[in-house]
Amino acid sequence: MSVDKAGVKGTKNGPIVSPLFTPGHLACPGCGGTLALNRVLNVLGKRTVIALPACCFSIITGAFPHMPLNVNLVHTAFETAAALATGLKAGFEMTGRGDVTVMAWAGDGGTFDIGLQALSGAAERNEDIFFFCYDNEAYMNTGNQRSGATPLGSWTTTTPTGETMDKKDIMGIIAAHHIPYAATASIAHLDDLDAKVKKGEEIKGTKFIHILSACPTGWRMPSDMTIKAARLAVKSRVFPLMEIFNGERRVLNYRPEELTHVRDYLGLQGRFSHLTDGEIEEIQRRVDERWKKLVASVDEVRPADDGIEYI
């Protein structure tokens, strides 16, 4: 781990904050999505263009002439991030600038729900784009309505007694398209995120990276718990770190040596405070079941490159 002059902790691959995403943006304190985008831009660099659907970052990046990003960004409709990214990439290639990286940066609503058809089309055609989903597990920019990524039991304004369905299996859906590379990542494992973005850079075709981005506002927890919550999601096996190559070969990047009960993860967050002991045990049972199936399906277990201090 490195520490810069301002005392900001970094990882072996560099500082957390990228010069391409400057301070002064409009994110909530402790926003996990801003940390994720900082790291992604650190890897992809200046020659990157972002296709941005309606999401928290429509607000975070501010209104003209305010602009905290030092890369080009194009706002688009909620459902069209992948379609816009596809068009941008085609335009750059036609004008001899095929080396420009085009990425869609969408929340869970713009990925799991409203944006899924455009994402599916781009993946089916194997367009040469990155699609990043920063997943805060609800429509947070409009007041915390449930999405297809909202986990079982979670309180939202549209699930006032708790979500009754399991989170949509977006990695299974993406794998079915047989794109060359798909991965999950966490803001608590930044070097692992860096490595996966770098790996995607070397691959031609559609790259999909699903990043769990803890949201203190929507998850009803203190802003300094962002990393801890993200870390516990991985340690409790709620959010496994994995890679899928060509929709078939699967690699598990982190296998906790000791099981952390989901109660430790859920207990940090006010959105789960209404759950009974029996409901928590039911969530644990489902997590255990999914983990068992995942471990049985992987071709390789490789340790994550864990470079950030556990808070």
Side-chain angles (χ1 to χ4, degrees):
M1 175 175 295
S2 63
V3 179
D4 70 11
K5 292 180 180 178
V8 176
K9 294 174 181 176
T11 70
K12 70 179 185 181
N13 288 326
I16 290 174
V17 177
S18 169
L20 301 178
F21 189 10
T22 62
H25 54 69
L26 303 179
C28 302
C31 172
T34 57
L35 178 56
L37 183 56
N38 259 302
R39 294 304 293 195
V40 168
L41 291 178
N42 256 342
V43 176
L44 295 182
K46 180 74 174 175
R47 287 181 68 77
T48 301
V49 175
I50 302 175
L52 186 74
C55 61
C56 290
F57 278 79
S58 303
I59 306 300
I60 291 170
T61 53
F64 180 82
H66 178 87
M67 181 59 168
L69 291 170
N70 287 319
V71 296
N72 288 310
L73 176 150
V74 183
H75 290 275
T76 190
F78 220 143
E79 67 276 21
T80 57
L84 173 62
T86 297
L88 289 170
K89 185 65 179 181
F92 285 123
E93 289 179 345
M94 289 294 290
T95 54
R97 293 174 289 172
D99 62 325
V100 174
T101 299
V102 178
M103 58 174 275
W105 183 258
D108 45 291
T111 304
F112 286 65
D113 302 330
I114 302 172
L116 185 58
Q117 54 82 21
L119 171 59
S120 176
E124 181 183 7
R125 298 187 302 272
N126 196 24
E127 302 287 352
D128 188 21
I129 60 172
F130 268 106
F131 193 105
F132 292 95
C133 172
Y134 71 96
D135 179 9
N136 52 28
E137 301 191 322
Y139 289 79
M140 297 304 186
N141 64 319
T142 52
N144 196 358
Q145 298 85 21
R146 77 162 295 279
S147 76
T150 299
L152 179 68
S154 176
W155 176 93
T156 71
T157 56
T158 50
T159 56
T161 59
E163 172 61 272
T164 58
M165 294 187 288
D166 282 312
K167 183 170 182 163
K168 192 182 291 184
D169 180 12
I170 192 67
M171 292 300 288
I173 293 170
I174 293 298
H177 290 75
H178 301 284
I179 62 172
Y181 187 66
T184 61
S186 166
I187 56 171
H189 296 259
L190 293 178
D191 285 331
D192 177 67
L193 171 60
D194 288 348
K196 288 171 176 172
V197 178
K198 288 177 181 175
K199 189 175 293 182
E201 271 192 304
E202 299 170 356
I203 297 173
K204 187 173 178 60
T206 304
K207 286 79 65 174
F208 178 84
I209 298 184
H210 176 201
I211 309 170
L212 184 65
S213 302
C215 169
T217 305
W219 293 17
R220 295 185 163 188
M221 63 184 185
S223 59
D224 62 353
M225 289 291 105
T226 302
I227 300 298
K228 184 170 185 176
R231 179 62 62 98
L232 285 175
V234 175
K235 290 177 73 71
S236 63
R237 309 179 188 184
V238 169
F239 190 84
L241 298 180
M242 61 181 296
E243 297 170 292
I244 304 176
F245 298 87
N246 300 309
E248 296 181 355
R249 191 169 75 87
R250 296 172 183 245
V251 174
L252 182 62
N253 303 115
Y254 183 83
R255 187 170 189 164
E257 294 181 359
E258 297 181 5
L259 176 64
T260 298
H261 198 282
V262 295
R263 182 179 292 103
D264 297 338
Y265 170 59
L266 303 180
L268 282 181
Q269 308 167 52
R271 62 178 176 155
F272 295 112
S273 62
H274 59 281
L275 296 181
T276 65
D277 288 344
E279 289 169 331
I280 291 174
E281 289 305 320
E282 172 60 17
I283 292 173
Q284 181 68 66
R285 186 191 68 77
R286 297 191 188 197
V287 167
D288 291 344
E289 187 175 283
R290 286 194 295 270
W291 178 264
K292 186 177 180 180
K293 290 180 179 177
L294 173 62
V295 170
S297 72
V298 298
D299 301 284
E300 183 181 352
V301 178
R302 191 185 307 155
D305 193 357
D306 185 0
I308 191 167
E309 187 174 77
Y310 184 22
I311 299 172

